[in-house]
Amino acid sequence: MEHYLYQFLWFSVFFLVIFVVYFFLLRYKIKRGKEKSIGEISYLIRKFHLDVRKLDYWKFIIPISLMNAFIISFVATAIMLLPFDMIWQLLIGFVFLFLLIYAIYEIYGRHLEKKYGKK
């Protein structure tokens, strides 16, 4: 039981640190007028044909920071629990990372498509 508590604590701390760093990084980019260089937003706009005129980039800071922090923290915590050699952990983590990125951004993109899609 103590092992799972340690893993949950590791996940929570890692999640919080990544969220804060990513949050301030995105805020900095938007303040400097570099919102076109935010890859996640550009990807969502292209893939789901979002209307750029309706978008408020400030509203994307928290959801994108939360999604990225969750993905990175979850994958890091999950591969630490695997009883394999490090090379297998890295390979499984790499595959798992891409699957989570695709799944979570697909769900979020479909939500945005309903809200900000071109009509």
Side-chain angles (χ1 to χ4, degrees):
M1 185 68 182
E2 187 177 308
H3 179 67
Y4 292 114
L5 183 61
Y6 173 75
Q7 292 299 327
F8 179 73
L9 183 63
W10 167 255
F11 172 81
S12 301
V13 169
F14 202 49
F15 178 85
L16 187 62
V17 168
I18 291 177
F19 173 74
V20 169
V21 168
Y22 217 89
F23 177 79
F24 285 112
L25 180 68
L26 289 178
R27 278 190 66 205
Y28 176 77
K29 281 187 173 184
I30 290 175
K31 271 188 179 178
R32 296 285 183 207
K34 298 179 181 178
E35 54 271 325
K36 302 282 188 230
S37 68
I38 300 174
E40 294 88 346
I41 296 174
S42 300
Y43 168 75
L44 291 170
I45 289 170
R46 275 185 279 122
K47 178 159 184 178
F48 295 101
H49 308 290
L50 302 177
D51 191 1
V52 180
R53 295 175 300 219
K54 293 181 185 178
L55 296 179
D56 181 15
Y57 288 97
W58 288 101
K59 290 182 180 180
F60 287 104
I61 293 175
I62 291 178
I64 288 177
S65 298
L66 283 171
M67 289 185 301
N68 287 337
F70 175 76
I71 291 167
I72 294 169
S73 302
F74 188 78
V75 170
T77 305
I79 64 169
M80 284 177 45
L81 292 171
L82 296 174
F84 301 125
D85 291 332
M86 184 178 280
I87 189 71
W88 289 109
Q89 286 179 337
L90 289 174
L91 290 173
I92 292 169
F94 189 70
V95 170
F96 200 46
L97 182 71
F98 277 103
L99 290 175
L100 269 177
I101 289 171
Y102 178 76
I104 290 176
Y105 275 98
E106 185 72 23
I107 292 168
Y108 187 59
R110 289 180 189 211
H111 166 72
L112 290 177
E113 190 174 35
K114 290 179 185 174
K115 193 171 184 180
Y116 299 110
K118 292 182 180 179
K119 295 182 180 176

